[in-house]
Amino acid sequence: MIGIGLYAWRKSTSNSGEYLLGGRQLGPAVTALSAGASDMSGWLLLGLPGALYATGLVEAWIGIGLFIGAFANWIIVAPRLREQTEKLGDSLTIPQFLANRFPDHASILRIVSAVIIVAFFSVYTAAGLVGGGLLFQESFADLFNNVSMSDYMLGIWVTGGVVVGYTMFGGFLAVSLTDFVQGCIMVVALILMPIVILTNDGGWTAANATLTNINPEFLSMTQGLTFLGFVSAVTWGLGYFGQPHIIVRFMAIRSVKDVPIARNIGMIWMGVALLGAIGVGIFGRAYAAQNGIILEKPETIFILLANMLFNPLITGFLLAALLAAIMSTISSQLLVASSSLTEDFYRLFLRKNASETEMVNIGRLCVLAVAIIAAFIASDPESKVLGLVSNAWAGFGAAFGPLILLSLTWKRMTGAGAVAGLIVGAASVAIWIAMGWSSEIYEIVPGFILAFAAIILVSNLTKKS
């Protein structure tokens, strides 16, 4: 990964356009797997299998909702965003695109967008670092006894250090190329592990019998599912429209003509990866029950199976796949947060005439700063990967989702409406979480609806005659 970072440093970091978007020269395969790998993160190998292990197949609705949302994102957002960001002042960041789209509210849009991006990405990046901490805690326990910190914290700092290294120096091209490699590793691991579990577990018949003994409804997709629970699960897909670290890949693809090819590659990759993650959680529960294993942290089922079922060399590959999933998302998030701090704050308010070299160096410092903040957020070993991801996912989905969709498709949208949507979406999610209402319905649902309504209402009230 560091080698790829050095390659990208020599090839594509001479100016902000190269450092932040790779010069808009990504091919369809790299775009597809980069978007997928940066999207799924450690959640795919930790959070989702853990939820399925603990609750049953009913949790698969989250994956179904995500698959539908990702497909809609490729259809609606990808081609329009690639075209319009280049047409509107060659925008390098989402806040810059919004400012160019609504010039009468340019400054406030860039400020509010940057604040939301940095705040939620600090939490989102922390979720990835928690995954790195759990990996070290479970797989390398007591291996570094001479280090004056816990295995968990060591994992956080090692994971963060490697990612910061190649992201700081290689920029967007390094992040995208490493995402491509990491995406390949992840999907191989997710194909391999469910097959091996079943092979060692007596096959599907034995697994089914074991799971039925645990709970006759374990393989039911409606067990205990309420209407609000169903809505909460499938509406995870709404978040795709507003995830800056995913949609920025659409801005960097070589041309609009490459979007359909990238979409097909990306959706096949995602479908296989989600099915593999579901298999790990479900069959992993059967394996644990058959072998009398009690797992205190369901999110570590992938790590447990990797250590118990495979030759040490294969175990190393599987743990590398988990680390790859974690690193791919962290690097993307750090770079997007850094781009907002440099382009939408530093250049806008502090150094309007800063040179390209200066902007690239400031961007590197911002990558480091956001990583340190995220590491402190992640320092609690009781943090839940799925919980942190769900909060940040909802925040971005509600704040930017309706805004991106309508700015690309509705010509009558105004700058005031855009600001209203940003603030209402982010605030409603934050309030919903703070009030503890997330247990009733996922916070992205009210946030997305309220932001969508705010944009339409305020735009109609402020439209020019």
Side-chain angles (χ1 to χ4, degrees), residues 334-355:
L334 288 177
L335 191 63
V336 173
S338 167
S339 69
S340 284
L341 287 172
T342 53
E343 293 292 328
D344 306 312
F345 180 76
Y346 185 81
R347 190 194 290 273
L348 191 61
F349 297 107
L350 300 180
R351 293 271 292 172
K352 292 184 178 180
N353 297 318
S355 67

Side-chain angles (χ1 to χ4, degrees), residues 398-412:
F400 287 100
L403 174 57
I404 294 297
L405 282 173
L406 290 172
S407 66
L408 293 172
T409 59
W410 189 34
K411 293 182 179 180
R412 291 187 298 162

Side-chain angles (χ1 to χ4, degrees), residues 209-262:
T210 301
L211 295 172
T212 302
N213 288 333
I214 294 171
N215 180 355
E217 300 295 321
F218 193 84
L219 295 177
S220 169
M221 293 191 67
T222 58
Q223 174 214 357
L225 185 65
T226 64
F227 174 74
L228 291 181
F230 172 76
V231 171
S232 294
V234 296
T235 50
W236 272 69
L238 292 175
Y240 272 107
F241 303 120
Q243 303 301 317
H245 62 299
I246 298 173
I247 61 178
V248 73
R249 266 65 187 170
F250 304 155
M251 297 164 58
I253 195 169
R254 198 164 46 206
S255 72
V256 175
K257 293 180 181 179
D258 287 330
V259 169
I261 302 172

